[in-house]
Every structure is written in C-alpha cells, then in structure tokens.
Amino acid sequence: MLDAELDAALCALIEQWNVAEKRIKRAEHVRANEIVAPAIFELRYAGRKIVDSIQIILAHDIFQDAEKHAKVSSFIADATEDCVKAKHDAIDAMMNFVTTWFDETEKSIGVEEIQKFFPTT
C-alpha cells in the first residue's frame, strides 16, 4: 500500500497491462503467431517506467518528498498510457491483417462470390 492515489493508479496500470497482453496474444493468433512488434515495444516502454518508479520508491520516502511522489505518479500515468497504446497497436495489427486478407480474398474470388456470403452488406 502506498496511498489511495497511487494505489488506484497502480490498479489502473495493472488492468491496462493485462488487457494489452491479452490483445497482443489475440493479435498474434490472428496473424499466425507473428510478433506484434509495435505493441510489444509499448509494453517495454511501460516496463521501463514501472522500473523507474520502483527505483524512486526504494531510494526515497516519497511521502516526505512531494517532487519524488509526483515523479512516481507521472511514471505510473505514462506507463498506463503506454499500455493503452499497446492495446491500440494490437487492434491495429488485427485490423490490418483482416483488411489485407479480405482485400486479397476479394481479388482472388471476386465480389460476387463474397456477396453470396454477405448478401445484405
């Protein structure tokens, strides 16, 4: 336990990290186990900020040093944002794959064949 503000920020970070990991794994499955590098990089950036905040917490009494407390809060907020970016990168990777697949399928079998499966769209 840190304080209510940091505890809430860390809970939000954990939630975003877990969702990002799940989306990255799903994107890798959609893309036949291809690595989704941009999303992985964003989690790496988040990890760096988490480590930086832990270093400050271990080296300073952040409850007696407002500047250090603010820095830890900033690192946690930035890490959470990096996780959000990772989620978006994973979604982008999936959408790119599906769009490319659909475009190639349309070129391969033609619009008329596709419309047999999706007659109202």
Side-chain angles (χ1 to χ4, degrees), residues 54-97:
I54 291 169
Q55 286 178 316
I56 292 171
I57 290 167
L58 292 175
H60 304 278
D61 181 353
I62 64 169
F63 302 110
Q64 300 300 318
D65 186 335
E67 183 181 324
K68 298 296 184 196
H69 189 283
K71 191 67 174 168
V72 168
S73 294
S74 178
F75 278 138
I76 293 169
D78 288 350
T80 302
E81 181 62 26
D82 290 337
C83 291
V84 170
K85 291 175 188 175
K87 292 184 331 185
H88 294 167
D89 287 343
I91 291 168
D92 289 348
M94 287 185 274
M95 292 305 299
N96 183 288
F97 179 85

Side-chain angles (χ1 to χ4, degrees), residues 10-22:
L10 287 170
C11 287
L13 170 59
I14 290 166
E15 181 180 341
Q16 293 299 322
W17 182 286
N18 289 338
V19 172
E21 273 192 324
K22 287 176 187 172

Side-chain angles (χ1 to χ4, degrees), residues 1-2 8-10 13 16 39-40 42 47-48 54 64 67-68 75 78 83 96 100 103-104 107 112 116-117:
M1 298 264 305
L2 295 171
L10 287 170
L13 170 59
Q16 293 299 322
I40 298 295
E42 289 296 342
R48 177 73 258 159
I54 291 169
Q64 300 300 318
E67 183 181 324
K68 298 296 184 196
F75 278 138
D78 288 350
C83 291
N96 183 288
T100 300
D103 185 50
E104 291 170 358
K107 288 176 184 171
E112 295 80 20
K116 290 178 186 177
F117 294 100

